[in-house]
């Protein structure tokens, strides 16, 4: 066990840096067995930090110092002190130049942070604190510097040498080596530094910005992937146009580059002018990537591009402000995806994700506010709360200020803070100043953790024709925050009459009605709003578009939910009514299972889904969403104590009953859509996504019938489809079926066909990891022996182990605890190899409070075993210790 307690960093202790680095000149000499890094830092005392010349403490980790010179004077051992994570020396003037040379070992860096090797190429990942593994530096986002970077390497193995900014010069060195120098004219913090060296090919295009400047666009990949870049390039150009139109933001360098690497801890990284991407977030073509993968590529390319303004031009003062760039940028990319595809489908996907995963985080031991107060390891705070809830907070600001007001606020923010490292308060202040608004109370969304509950009750006075809604808000305690103050909750709503028409909304004290959808700002613990001239008892449609990230509670009957599914003018709320109906029905069946009764499905759910399937005018993507019952993970999240087996049994039974009752309709829609798919070449567009989505969900229901004509259709789709969306669904459906011969054939032929494509093999692993039939753990253990699997590649870990623990709940939570033991074993191994991946992988164990006492004990035993397993990384230590606290 760890003897030293790792240090806790607090937001309240923030101090401006003692020194600044105006210029950073780096030279990298890359070799197979070591890399030499020369850094020349042009530094000065920070005028904002007070008088005198305090010691200079630079960050540095795993660096072997070769030489150090201050203003060209070589320093000796007595001139500086080296500790495990720092180097300290005493400057003798307010301005000085510091030259250092260190040796580092990218070739053995398995943590994938700092400079490392992925396959045959060198690449970097510096956010948040990886630059200190490259050279001694002030590795904090409020130290911004102008960088020039020279890279030298052997020419044959590394013909391409890249860094941030614009190319300045290049040349040969003799000995088969060559070099290139890059200059980034924009000041940036070290976390945005990037370097790439490898044998890469590129797809090239260009973009003319709104002021008429030409920008070269390049996507670099390993040669075998050169045919999978077009979708990312199209997405990039759409993003550039969109950011000009929606936010007035123009690109600022002469070149924008994306590089795809196979070994990457997350999706991608927004390094200035040189984005580095997980290959899974760049490569996409019909034959190898699903519709979901295409949409993910489009969203991530956009997200990283948008960071050029929200993150790079205006950056964070400190890491507590992470949501300043991440929440805002997720909000921006979700607006973009909504504009490129279907806004309602996008909203449904985002809200499902938030409610299943972020709400669970908010209710668990790692719960933290959007702007956390403290951390041990910042890597643990790249969370759903900072990203997704942070985006919801920005969205609420837009809902409260209106689209125009929000745009004025963002214009002021970018103009006022260009080139600065700022805080969440600065962002909100710009929104306030541009609109003359007061968001003081609203800012509690940034400082209070936990998911608020909003209980709503109604009162109709037929004589006075008034209708009142009373809102009661509360928020459960979270670690370190027992009491919460009232939030400002924007509630978008409408009222429906008995025919399903919208009622014009006139609030008390208003002279006339104003529209049929209104936003109420609920800002008291309890508050009543009264509407006038309401001719009959209405049915409220509450929280339209999910206008706030809260748990809403209104006592809808099932008939009322069916009415809303039919009539609500808000597309999101039509889906939401269907979800709530499904939840009610499934929870009732969970109860039946627990009492040992025969399961009975409320036929109203079948009727509601039937009318969706019958109506051929509806958006097929929304019909597919309606037909997707709430996931087991979501049903777990909304349970006080989750009964894994009952949830699985109830959901399975409901699916089976729906499949039987609606067989003919499913079959008709399936055949019609499959026929179109057969006749139409693959297109990555919303209408085509929608057709395939309905076709595929229909197939998954149809296969539950086990009818030979369906099995034949599934095999046909698997074998004949020209795209991965259809092929992979057919495979997944076969894998989860009892048709062993067909399943084994399909798995074998898929692996044989795609064995050289690691991203496709990830899908092959995932599909099997998700198989909920008994024996799941043994299948995973067996697959870990497959030659295509390795713990060193984060995508493989996520595809197999992550998918198993997060999506295959009945198998992972099997009663003897073997699933937990297995996960803990993997975490213990990964703790040494790659702490960031280890700490993320263990998240399912942190949710132990959700389960029965026997499972709780088993999960805690494994957390304790991890804690006692030896020297823990700060990443794993923080998550495990907080989970057990
Ligand atoms: N900013 C990066 C995330 C870096 C994570 C470091 N552990 C990607 C993104 O959010 O765009
Ligand atoms: Zn981001």
């Amino acid at each position: 066990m760890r003897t030293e307690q790792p240090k806790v960093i607090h937001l309240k202790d923030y101090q401006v840096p003692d020194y600044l680095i105006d210029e950073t000149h780096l030279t990298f000499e890359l070799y197979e067995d070591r890399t030499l890094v020369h850094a020349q830092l042009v530094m000065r005392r920070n005028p904002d930090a007070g008088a005198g010349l305090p010691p200079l403490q630079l960050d540095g980790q795993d660096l072997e110092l070769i030489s150090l010179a201050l203003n060209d004077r070589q320093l000796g051992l007595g001139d500086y002190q080296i500790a495990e994570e720092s180097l300290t020396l005493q400057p003798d003037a307010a301005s000085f130049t510091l030259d250092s040379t260190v040796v580092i070992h990218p070739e053995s860096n398995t943590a994938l942070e700092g400079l490392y090797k992925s396959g045959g190429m060198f690449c970097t990942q510096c956010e948040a604190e990886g630059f200190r593994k490259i050279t001694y530096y002030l590795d904090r986002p409020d130290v911004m510097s102008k960088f020039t970077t020279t890279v030298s390497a052997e020419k044959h193995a590394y013909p391409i040498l890249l860094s941030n900014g614009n190319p300045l010069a290049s040349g040969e060195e003799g000995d088969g080596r060559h070099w290139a120098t890059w200059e980034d004219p924009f000041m940036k913090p070290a976390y945005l530094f990037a370097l790439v060296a490898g044998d890469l090919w590129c797809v090239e295009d260009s973009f003319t910005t709104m002021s008429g400047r030409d920008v070269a666009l390049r996507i670099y990949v390993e040669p075998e992937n050169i045919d999978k870049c077009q979708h990312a390039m199209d997405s990039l150009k759409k993003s550039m146009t969109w950011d000009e139109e929606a936010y007035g933001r123009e690109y600022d360098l002469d070149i924008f580059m994306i590089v795809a690497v196979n070994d990457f801890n997350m999706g991608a990284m927004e390094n200035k002018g040189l984005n580095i991407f997980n290959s899974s977030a760049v490569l996409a073509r019909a034959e190898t990537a699903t519709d979901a993968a295409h949409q993910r590529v489009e969203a991530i390319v956009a997200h990283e591009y948008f960071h050029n303004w929200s993150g790079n031009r205006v950056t964070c003062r400190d890491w507590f402000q992470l949501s300043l760039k991440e929440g805002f940028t997720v909000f921006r990319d979700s607006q973009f995806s909504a504009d490129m595809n279907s806004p309602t489908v996008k909203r449904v996907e985002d809200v499902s994700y938030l409610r299943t995963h972020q709400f669970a985080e908010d209710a668990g031991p790692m719960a933290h506010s959007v702007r956390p107060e403290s951390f041990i390891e910042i890597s643990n705070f790249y969370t759903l709360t900072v990203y997704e809830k942070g985006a919801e907070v920005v969205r609420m600001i837009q809902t409260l200020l209106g689209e125009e007001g929000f745009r004025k606020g963002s214009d002021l923010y970018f103009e006022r803070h260009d080139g600065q490292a700022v805080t969440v308060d600065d962002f909100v202040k710009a929104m306030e100043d541009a609109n003359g608004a007061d968001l003081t109370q609203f800012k509690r969304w940034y400082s209070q953790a936990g998911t608020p509950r909003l209980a709503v009750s109604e009162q109709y006075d037929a004589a006075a024709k008034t209708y009142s809604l009373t809102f009661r808000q509360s928020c459960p305690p979270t670690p370190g925050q027992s009491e919460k103050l009232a939030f400002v909750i924007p509630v978008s709503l409408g009222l429906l009459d008995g025919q399903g028409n919208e009622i014009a909304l006139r609030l008390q004290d208003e002279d006339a009605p104003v529209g049929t959808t209104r936003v109420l700002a609920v800002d008291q613990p309890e508050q009543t709003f009264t509407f006038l001239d309401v001719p009959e008892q209405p049915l409220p449609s509450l929280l339209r578009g999910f206008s706030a990230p809260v748990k809403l509670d209104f006592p809808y009957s099932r008939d009322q939910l069916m009415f809303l599914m039919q009539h609500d003018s808000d597309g999101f709320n039509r889906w939401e009514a269907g979800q709530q109906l499904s939840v009610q029905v499934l929870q009732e069946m969970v109860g039946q299972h627990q009492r040992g009764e025969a399961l009975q499905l409320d036929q109203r759910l079948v009727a509601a889904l039937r009318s969706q399937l019958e109506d051929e005018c509806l958006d097929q993507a929304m019909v597919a969403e309606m037909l997707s019952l709430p996931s087991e993970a979501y049903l777990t999240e909304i349970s006080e104590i989750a009964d894994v087996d009952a949830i699985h049994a109830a959901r399975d039974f409901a699916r089976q009953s729906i499949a039987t009752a609606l067989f003919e309709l499913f079959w008709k829609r399936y055949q019609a859509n499959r026929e179109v798919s057969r006749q139409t070449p693959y297109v990555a567009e919303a209408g085509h996504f929608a057709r395939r989505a309905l076709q595929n969900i229909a197939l998954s229901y149809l296969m539950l019938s086990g009818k030979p004509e369906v099995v034949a259709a599934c095999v046909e789709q698997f074998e004949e489809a020209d795209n991965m969306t259809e092929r992979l669904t057919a495979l997944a459906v076969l894998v989860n079926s009892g048709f062993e011969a067909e399943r084994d054939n399909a798995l074998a032929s898929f692996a044989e066909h795609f064995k050289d494509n690691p991203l496709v093999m990830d899908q092959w692993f995932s599909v099997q990891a998700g198989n909920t039939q008994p024996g799941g753990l043994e299948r995973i253990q067996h697959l870990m022996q497959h030659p295509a699997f390795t713990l060193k590649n984060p995508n493989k870990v996520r595809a197999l182990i992550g998918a198993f623990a997060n999506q295959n709940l009945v198998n992972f939570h099997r009663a003897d605890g073997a699933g937990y033991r297995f996960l803990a074993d993997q975490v213990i191994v990964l703790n040494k190899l790659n702490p960031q991946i280890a700490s993320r992988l263990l998240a399912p164990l942190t949710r132990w409070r959700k389960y029965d006492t026997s499972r709780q004990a088993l999960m805690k035993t494994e957390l304790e075993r991890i804690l006692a397993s030896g020297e823990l990384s700060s990443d794993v230590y923080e998550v495990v210790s907080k989970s057990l606290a």
Side-chain angles (χ1 to χ4, degrees):
M1 196 148 85
R2 221 184 151 97
T3 43
E4 250 176 81
Q5 287 288 317
K7 219 168 89 209
V8 183
I9 321 276
H10 293 273
L11 168 59
K12 64 174 166 38
D13 296 339
Y14 173 82
Q15 287 187 336
V16 297
D18 286 335
Y19 292 92
L20 302 175
I21 308 176
D22 292 324
E23 291 172 39
T24 302
H25 304 282
L26 301 170
T27 300
F28 290 79
E29 293 180 60
L30 306 174
Y31 296 96
E32 293 310 317
D33 59 350
R34 71 194 183 287
T35 288
L36 283 152
V37 185
H38 311 278
Q40 180 172 80
L41 310 181
V42 180
M43 302 191 66
R44 71 190 150 96
R45 174 80 170 126
N46 181 2
D48 296 337
L53 287 181
L56 166 65
Q57 185 178 323
L58 299 164
D59 305 299
Q61 225 175 297
D62 306 331
L63 307 174
E64 185 194 333
L65 184 67
I66 303 296
S67 74
L68 187 65
L70 185 61
N71 293 328
D72 290 332
R73 181 175 70 84
Q74 208 58 41
L75 298 185
L77 277 180
D79 297 325
Y80 57 86
Q81 296 83 47
I82 288 189
E84 211 177 321
E85 299 192 354
S86 64
L87 181 155
T88 308
L89 58 88
Q90 183 57 55
D92 50 13
S95 296
F96 54 93
T97 299
L98 192 68
D99 280 278
S100 69
T101 298
V102 299
V103 169
I104 55 176
H105 290 282
E107 69 282 359
S108 55
N109 177 353
T110 58
L112 313 185
E113 193 188 35
L115 179 66
Y116 66 95
K117 283 198 86 174
S118 174
M121 72 204 263
F122 286 89
C123 61
T124 52
Q125 172 53 38
C126 294
E127 187 178 0
E129 298 182 335
F131 194 75
R132 63 190 61 188
K133 294 174 152 189
I134 291 177
T135 190
Y136 284 108
Y137 205 74
L138 295 175
D139 188 8
R140 43 187 290 172
D142 56 354
V143 171
M144 298 173 79
S145 185
K146 217 180 124 196
F147 281 69
T148 47
T149 305
T150 299
V151 188
S152 110
E154 201 269 322
K155 188 169 181 177
H156 182 71
Y158 309 101
I160 301 293
L161 306 174
L162 309 174
S163 189
N164 316 84
N166 299 314
L168 202 64
S170 58
E172 308 274 330
E173 276 170 30
D175 289 358
R177 293 179 68 84
H178 70 148
W179 59 271
T181 299
W182 292 77
E183 181 185 58
D184 184 354
F186 292 94
M187 303 283 279
K188 67 168 179 288
Y191 84 85
L192 290 172
F193 170 79
L195 173 160
V196 169
D199 182 4
L200 303 168
W201 287 9
C202 86
V203 167
E204 188 152 15
D205 208 327
S206 68
F207 182 83
T208 306
T209 69
M210 59 189 185
S211 71
R213 278 190 320 98
D214 284 331
V215 180
L217 310 177
R218 288 195 194 143
I219 300 183
Y220 287 94
V221 295
E222 288 170 314
E224 66 269 24
N225 291 323
I226 199 73
D227 60 345
K228 305 183 190 75
C229 300
Q230 195 54 46
H231 182 65
M233 184 62 89
D234 293 343
S235 304
L236 175 60
K237 290 197 283 182
K238 287 184 199 170
S239 308
M240 296 179 86
T241 304
W242 187 88
D243 212 17
E244 293 186 349
E245 289 169 358
Y247 282 87
R249 299 295 110 203
E250 188 176 0
Y251 187 63
D252 49 14
L253 290 165
D254 302 335
I255 181 165
F256 184 85
M257 297 173 282
I258 289 177
V259 181
V261 307
N262 290 329
D263 303 292
F264 206 65
N265 282 345
M266 65 270 172
M269 177 64 211
E270 70 265 24
N271 317 301
K272 183 79 188 187
L274 178 56
N275 287 190
I276 298 182
F277 273 57
N278 187 321
S279 53
S280 74
V282 186
L283 306 177
R285 62 177 288 136
E287 296 80 357
T288 53
T290 61
D291 289 349
H294 278 79
Q295 285 168 276
R296 178 167 176 266
V297 166
E298 182 181 75
I300 298 183
V301 166
H303 179 98
E304 306 311 333
Y305 174 73
F306 297 156
H307 268 316
N308 190 53
W309 275 96
S310 48
N312 301 2
R313 289 288 286 259
V314 184
T315 195
C316 300
R317 185 193 74 172
D318 56 74
W319 292 120
F320 297 101
Q321 318 297 328
L322 183 57
S323 196
L324 172 78
K325 72 178 179 80
E326 296 304 347
F328 187 23
T329 305
V330 171
F331 174 68
R332 276 152 56 68
D333 83 57
S334 71
Q335 289 179 298
F336 167 78
S337 294
D339 283 355
M340 296 300 123
N341 301 289
S342 153
T344 310
V345 174
K346 172 67 177 156
R347 190 68 189 137
V348 162
E349 288 168 356
D350 286 353
V351 172
S352 296
Y353 187 65
L354 182 89
R355 286 206 292 217
T356 305
H357 304 292
Q358 194 279 324
F359 282 16
E361 182 169 279
D362 239 351
M366 284 291 290
H368 55 277
S369 45
V370 170
R371 180 183 47 205
E373 303 289 326
S374 69
F375 59 74
I376 292 176
E377 171 54 61
I378 184 56
S379 298
N380 284 329
F381 286 80
Y382 286 76
T383 59
L384 295 155
T385 300
V386 166
Y387 275 65
E388 321 301 329
K389 184 175 182 180
E392 293 297 322
V393 173
V394 175
R395 191 171 197 277
M396 286 190 285
I397 296 179
Q398 189 195 42
T399 302
L400 292 168
L401 300 178
E403 279 182 29
E404 237 177 82
F406 182 80
R407 171 65 195 269
K408 278 196 232 152
S410 71
D411 283 352
L412 179 60
Y413 169 70
F414 288 126
E415 185 197 309
R416 189 184 268 178
H417 298 297
D418 189 7
Q420 297 176 2
V422 302
T423 64
V424 162
D425 293 310
D426 294 315
F427 178 78
V428 177
K429 182 85 168 55
M431 290 289 160
E432 292 181 319
D433 290 354
N435 289 278
D438 179 358
L439 296 170
T440 313
Q441 184 184 343
F442 179 85
K443 286 210 290 188
R444 289 175 188 162
W445 282 107
Y446 285 105
S447 56
Q448 298 189 140
T451 307
R453 289 187 170 273
L454 190 61
V456 189
S457 58
E458 62 176 352
Q459 203 188 8
Y460 181 63
D461 182 336
K465 297 208 179 330
T466 60
Y467 178 72
S468 299
L469 286 169
T470 298
F471 296 87
R472 282 181 199 84
Q473 58 162 303
S474 60
C475 183
T478 47
Q481 292 184 340
S482 48
E483 300 294 325
K484 317 277 166 134
L485 300 169
F487 291 87
V488 179
I489 302 176
V491 179
S492 170
L493 56 75
L495 302 178
L496 303 191
D497 70 16
Q499 271 64 56
N501 299 314
E502 301 274 332
I503 296 174
L505 301 180
R506 177 181 165 205
L507 279 166
Q508 212 162 29
D509 303 329
E510 289 178 348
D511 299 333
V514 188
T516 52
T517 295
R518 299 281 297 260
V519 177
L520 306 179
V522 174
D523 58 7
Q524 303 298 315
E526 179 173 336
Q527 206 166 359
T528 299
F529 294 84
T530 299
F531 295 93
L532 308 180
D533 309 330
V534 182
E536 57 180 285
Q537 166 84 42
L539 185 61
S541 163
L542 299 164
L543 215 63
R544 284 186 158 168
F546 200 65
S547 58
V550 301
K551 292 189 175 180
L552 182 95
D553 195 5
F554 182 85
Y556 287 116
S557 69
R558 292 186 196 177
D559 291 329
Q560 287 176 327
L561 291 170
M562 289 179 71
F563 187 85
L564 287 172
M565 277 177 84
Q566 290 286 335
H567 298 290
D568 201 320
S569 64
D570 184 74
F572 175 84
N573 268 13
R574 284 199 299 278
W575 169 81
E576 173 65 3
Q579 283 292 289
Q580 287 192 36
L581 178 64
S582 306
V583 164
Q584 284 193 19
V585 168
L586 288 165
Q587 285 180 332
E588 178 178 59
M589 292 165 66
V590 166
Q592 291 163 353
H593 186 274
Q594 288 170 331
R595 292 189 296 276
E597 298 166 11
L599 299 185
Q600 299 246 327
L601 177 69
D602 184 336
Q603 291 304 306
R604 282 176 289 188
L605 180 59
V606 177
L609 297 180
R610 179 191 302 278
S611 67
Q612 294 286 316
L613 265 179
E614 274 170 350
D615 188 344
E616 296 194 10
C617 300
L618 295 174
D619 173 3
Q620 301 194 80
M622 283 310 297
V623 176
E625 292 288 355
M626 290 277 191
L627 290 164
S628 316
L629 296 181
S631 66
E632 291 179 20
Y634 180 61
L635 294 166
T636 300
E637 203 292 310
I638 58 176
S639 311
E640 194 65 37
I641 293 293
D643 184 336
V644 187
D645 300 311
I647 288 174
H648 183 67
R651 197 171 177 281
D652 247 18
F653 182 84
R655 281 174 48 77
Q656 187 72 54
S657 313
I658 293 165
T660 308
L662 304 180
F663 181 86
E664 298 303 329
L665 271 169
F666 278 129
W667 192 223
K668 183 173 148 232
R669 299 294 304 257
Y670 172 76
Q671 285 179 308
N673 285 16
R674 172 72 186 123
E675 187 53 31
V676 181
S677 296
R678 245 188 245 116
Q679 309 295 335
T680 322
Y682 181 89
V683 187
E685 275 174 11
H688 297 260
F689 297 152
R691 182 188 74 244
R692 288 186 287 266
L694 184 57
Q695 174 190 327
N696 281 334
I697 193 152
L699 180 61
S700 71
Y701 276 107
L702 287 164
M703 274 292 277
L704 298 174
S705 75
K707 295 193 184 182
E709 66 268 34
V710 176
V711 181
C714 189
V715 171
E716 186 274 343
Q717 174 168 326
F718 174 77
E719 285 173 355
E720 303 300 327
D722 67 350
N723 64 83
M724 186 51 77
T725 307
E726 290 181 88
R727 177 162 289 137
L728 193 72
T729 297
L731 180 68
V733 166
L734 285 170
V735 162
N736 279 283
S737 79
F739 298 95
E740 287 175 24
E742 287 81 356
R743 176 196 66 203
D744 293 345
N745 275 340
L747 281 171
S749 85
F750 191 98
E752 177 53 29
H753 192 78
F754 293 111
K755 60 177 183 298
D756 297 326
N757 185 324
L759 294 176
V760 180
M761 288 306 285
D762 291 345
Q763 312 278 334
W764 185 80
F765 282 119
S766 270
V767 157
Q768 296 178 80
N771 178 358
T772 55
Q773 295 173 90
L777 178 59
E778 290 72 14
R779 286 193 295 272
I780 300 299
Q781 285 167 325
H782 181 69
L783 283 167
M784 282 183 66
Q785 309 306 317
H786 191 279
F789 184 82
T790 163
L791 276 179
K792 290 198 175 149
N793 176 260
N795 288 356
K796 291 282 175 292
V797 174
R798 283 184 281 257
L800 190 60
I801 306 171
F804 172 67
N806 289 292
Q807 282 152 42
N808 196 342
L809 302 183
V810 266
N811 276 301
F812 174 63
H813 290 280
R814 63 185 237 188
D816 65 359
Y820 309 147
R821 204 149 51 241
F822 164 75
L823 191 67
D825 286 342
Q826 308 315 315
V827 169
I828 290 168
V829 176
L830 278 162
N831 171 63
K832 295 218 159 36
L833 279 178
N834 186 331
Q836 287 182 23
I837 296 300
S839 135
R840 275 178 191 257
L841 198 63
L842 75 86
L845 287 175
T846 69
R847 314 261 192 262
W848 57 270
R849 283 184 183 80
K850 270 279 171 206
Y851 299 92
D852 54 79
T853 46
S854 147
R855 285 186 172 93
Q856 286 198 0
L858 292 164
M859 293 171 96
K860 274 179 14 192
T861 302
E862 295 310 322
L863 287 167
E864 276 153 7
R865 189 161 68 86
I866 295 172
L867 198 58
S869 69
E871 203 180 311
L872 288 189
S873 58
S874 52
D875 309 61
V876 171
Y877 173 80
E878 178 169 38
V879 176
V880 174
S881 59
K882 287 184 175 172
S883 303
L884 288 169

